Structures are given as structure tokens and as C-alpha cells.
């Protein structure tokens, strides 16, 4: 609620960005279709019925719910503004709370599954021979159920006590934990890959494979962490400012760009399938079958 205030102090750049509703709708629809295709492909192909792809499927569902929540909120607001829907204020507030709870739950679950995927990749690399005994189907199901349950409970608490700085600090701490977790795990994985390539290149001439492999690994690492930080960072920085300096002119100026932060979160839902799903050749093949309706 604080973020929706229009700020006039500080010059023209404090007026925020006038983002058209059509952009929200377009990005939401693209994200919805993308993630729906990922879910359909994983369900269709039995070769993709493994913990790794189940986690990717859950991430796609979370991103899909982010898009559905934003689309529902946008359409609901447009219908109210144009007089198509006429409701009592109490019902409007109730509907708004339900939609906010859906968005919040999907945001928390999306962040959680990004962390789960990072842990899963870490186990795949460092405990390859024991992976199937460590990440059993039963443990994967328990992990997924725990994430969904925790996301639902936490979103309910957050929406109910959204005015409490303690709740916001918990959400900020959760984001920082996920950021540090992904940073540590992916850098450790990259360091191992670099060491492995260095060992190989030391026995072969010329050592171009080492440089090329290290560059590719660095690019992949930069993309993973860069997209995560760029898409989620501004929103959580917004929350930090709400807690630390809600009335400071700079902070209130920053609040006026809240719609831009929402656009970045929706963009993350669009980009996630490109990073975590579409890079799989098996999944791309299944996607082509789904698109051509050869179920």
C-alpha cells in the first residue's frame, strides 16, 4: 500500500514510470504460455520424470501463478475502473487480499525452487555417484510439498500482518539467504569445473579448451546470478527502504517506481524457462511435440 503512493518531491525523475497496462498483460500472457508449455512437456515425457525436472516443473508452476495473479489483479482493476464490475468496498478488499496472497505465495515458492534447483545441481556435480540415493523421489516429493506449504503459510501471515516491519524483515532475510545460497553453490560448482578443465588442459596442448570452458562457465554463472539479482533485487531493495526510511525523500522517490519492479519480476517468470528448462534437448523435443499437438 505504501508503494502505490505518487511522489512529487525531488523533480521529474521522482514521478515514476507510466507503464501501460498492455505491457503487464502481454508479459503475463507470454510467461503463462511459456511455463504452461514447460509443465505440459514434463508431464508428457516419462524420461523427464525425475527430481530435477520435477523441481523445474514446480518452478514453472510458481512462475505461472505469478503471471496468473498479476493478470487477475490487472483485469480486476480494469473492470472496476470501467464500471463493468460493481462491488461493495468490503468485497473488493477481500478479492484484493486473495489475489495478493496468490501472488505472494507464488513469489515465495518461485524463490524457494530457484534455491532447490541450485542445491539439486550441486548434489549432481559433487555427489554424482550417490545422487540417486540422496535425492530420492520420496525426498523430492517431501521437498516440493514443504515448499508449497511453507509458501502458503508465509504468504498468509505476510498479507495479514503486512504493516509489521518484522514480517518485511523476514521476507528480506529470506531473499538474502537465497541470494547467498545460490552465489556460494554456483561459484563452488564453477570453481570445480574450472579446476577440472585446468587438469585436462595441463595434459593437452594448446590449453584453449581450458580458457574456452572457463569463459563459458563464467558466462553461465553471470547469467544465472545476474538475472536473479536484476529481476528480484529492486523489489527487495524497495522493501528494505520501507523498513529503514519510509519518509526520506530519496526513499519515497524510489517507491514511485514500484510498477517497474513488478515488471522485472514478471520478466523473471519469462526468462526462467529459457535458463532452466529450454536448455534441455529432451525437453525441447517434447515441447515441439506438444506445440504440434502430437500428444
Amino acid at each position: 500500500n505504501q508503494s502505490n503512493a505518487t511522489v512529487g518531491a525531488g523533480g521529474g525523475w521522482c514521478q515514476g514510470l507510466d507503464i501501460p497496462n498492455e505491457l503487464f498483460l502481454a508479459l503475463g500472457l507470454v510467461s503463462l504460455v511459456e511455463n504452461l508449455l514447460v509443465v505440459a512437456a514434463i508431464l508428457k515425457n516419462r524420461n523427464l520424470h525425475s527430481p530435477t525436472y520435477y523441481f523445474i516443473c514446480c518452478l514453472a508452476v510458481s512462475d505461472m501463478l505469478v503471471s496468473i495473479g498479476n493478470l487477475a489483479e490487472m483485469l480486476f482493476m480494469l473492470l472496476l475502473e470501467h464500471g463493468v464490475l460493481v462491488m461493495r468496498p468490503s468485497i473488493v478488499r477481500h478479492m484484493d487480499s486473495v489475489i495478493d496472497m496468490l501472488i505472494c505465495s507464488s513469489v515465495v515458492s518461485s524463490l524457494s525452487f530457484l534455491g532447490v534447483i541450485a542445491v539439486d545441481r550441486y548434489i549432481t556435480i559433487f555427489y554424482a555417484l550417490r545422487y540417486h540415493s540422496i535425492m530420492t523421489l520420496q525426498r523430492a516429493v517431501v521437498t516440493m510439498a514443504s515448499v508449497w506449504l511453507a509458501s502458503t503459510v508465509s504468504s498468509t501471515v505476510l498479507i495479514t500482518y503486512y504493516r509489521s516491519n518484522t514480517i518485511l524483515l523476514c521476507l528480506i532475510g529470506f531473499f538474502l539467504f537465497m541470494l547467498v545460497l545460490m552465489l556460494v553453490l554456483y561459484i563452488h560448482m564453477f570453481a570445480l569445473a574450472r579446476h577440472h578443465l585446468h587438469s585436462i588442459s595441463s595434459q593437452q596442448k594448446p590449453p584453449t579448451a581450458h580458457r574456452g570452458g572457463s569463459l563459458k562457465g563464467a558466462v553461465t554463472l553471470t547469467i544465472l546470478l545476474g538475472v536473479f539479482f536484476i529481476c528480484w533485487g529492486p523489489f527487495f531493495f524497495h522493501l528494505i527502504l520501507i523498513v529503514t526510511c519510509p519518509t526520506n525523500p530519496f526513499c519515497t522517490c524510489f517507491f514511485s517506481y514500484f510498477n517497474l519492479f513488478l515488471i522485472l519480476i514478471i520478466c523473471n517468470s519469462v526468462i526462467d524457462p529459457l535458463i532452466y528448462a529450454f536448455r534441455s534437448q529432451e525437453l525441447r523435443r517434447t515441447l515441439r511435440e506438444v506445440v504440434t499437438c502430437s500428444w
Side-chain angles (χ1 to χ4, degrees):
N1 291 337
Q2 290 171 306
S3 61
N4 291 330
T6 301
V7 183
W13 68 281
C14 286
Q15 299 301 321
L17 290 178
D18 185 17
I19 299 177
N21 294 330
E22 291 79 9
L23 181 58
F24 278 98
L25 294 174
L27 287 175
L29 287 173
V30 171
S31 172
L32 179 62
V33 171
E34 265 190 349
N35 288 288
L36 191 60
L37 286 174
V38 172
V39 173
I42 292 175
L43 293 178
K44 178 182 186 298
N45 191 339
R46 290 186 177 274
N47 294 331
L48 301 177
H49 291 185
S50 65
T52 297
Y53 283 101
Y54 285 152
F55 295 145
I56 292 176
C57 182
C58 286
L59 175 63
V61 171
S62 298
D63 287 340
M64 195 164 54
L65 291 176
V66 172
S67 303
I68 291 174
N70 280 286
L71 285 173
E73 187 171 39
M74 185 61 60
L75 290 173
F76 184 63
M77 290 170 58
L78 289 174
L79 291 175
L80 286 175
E81 288 176 6
H82 290 82
V84 178
L85 282 180
V86 179
M87 296 182 177
R88 293 198 302 270
S90 58
I91 298 179
V92 172
R93 287 194 298 269
H94 179 71
M95 290 291 296
D96 186 55
S97 296
V98 170
I99 294 175
D100 286 344
M101 196 172 297
L102 171 64
I103 295 174
C104 183
S105 177
S106 54
V107 164
V108 173
S109 62
S110 180
L111 283 170
S112 299
F113 282 115
L114 287 173
V116 169
I117 291 172
V119 172
D120 181 72
R121 287 183 170 183
Y122 185 86
I123 297 174
T124 301
I125 292 177
F126 284 89
Y127 302 95
L129 298 178
R130 297 171 50 202
Y131 174 79
H132 293 291
S133 61
I134 296 175
M135 189 57 69
T136 62
L137 183 59
Q138 182 179 5
R139 287 176 180 170
V141 171
V142 170
T143 300
M144 291 183 289
S146 300
V147 169
W148 288 116
L149 178 61
S151 300
T152 303
V153 172
S154 61
S155 65
T156 303
V157 173
L158 179 63
I159 296 302
T160 304
Y161 303 101
Y162 69 92
R163 293 184 182 274
S164 171
N165 284 347
T166 303
I167 297 298
L168 293 181
L169 286 173
C170 289
L171 187 59
I172 294 166
F174 173 68
F175 167 75
L176 294 176
F177 171 76
M178 284 300 167
L179 177 62
V180 172
L181 176 68
M182 293 177 65
L183 189 65
V184 171
L185 293 183
Y186 281 125
I187 288 179
H188 196 190
M189 284 185 273
F190 170 65
L192 176 68
R194 189 172 183 274
H195 175 73
H196 179 67
L197 288 170
H198 178 71
S199 300
I200 295 175
S201 64
S202 63
Q203 303 172 15
Q204 299 175 357
K205 301 294 183 179
T208 54
H210 169 229
R211 290 194 296 268
S214 296
L215 179 61
K216 183 178 179 181
V219 170
T220 302
L221 176 67
T222 302
I223 291 174
L224 287 171
L225 297 177
V227 167
F228 178 80
F229 185 78
I230 291 172
C231 291
W232 291 100
F235 173 76
F236 282 92
F237 184 60
H238 174 95
L239 296 183
I240 292 174
L241 295 184
I242 288 178
V243 174
T244 57
C245 57
T247 58
N248 182 277
F250 169 79
C251 298
T252 52
C253 186
F254 190 81
F255 297 156
S256 65
Y257 288 86
F258 183 72
N259 282 341
L260 175 61
F261 310 150
L262 291 182
I263 285 289
L264 290 175
I265 291 178
I266 299 175
C267 286
N268 183 80
S269 300
V270 175
I271 297 171
D272 276 347
L274 303 177
I275 296 178
Y276 295 97
F278 294 161
R279 298 176 67 188
S280 167
Q281 184 176 359
E282 180 79 9
L283 193 141
R284 289 200 306 270
R285 182 183 63 80
T286 309
L287 278 173
R288 285 194 292 268
E289 295 176 2
V290 171
V291 171
T292 56
C293 300
S294 54
W295 193 275

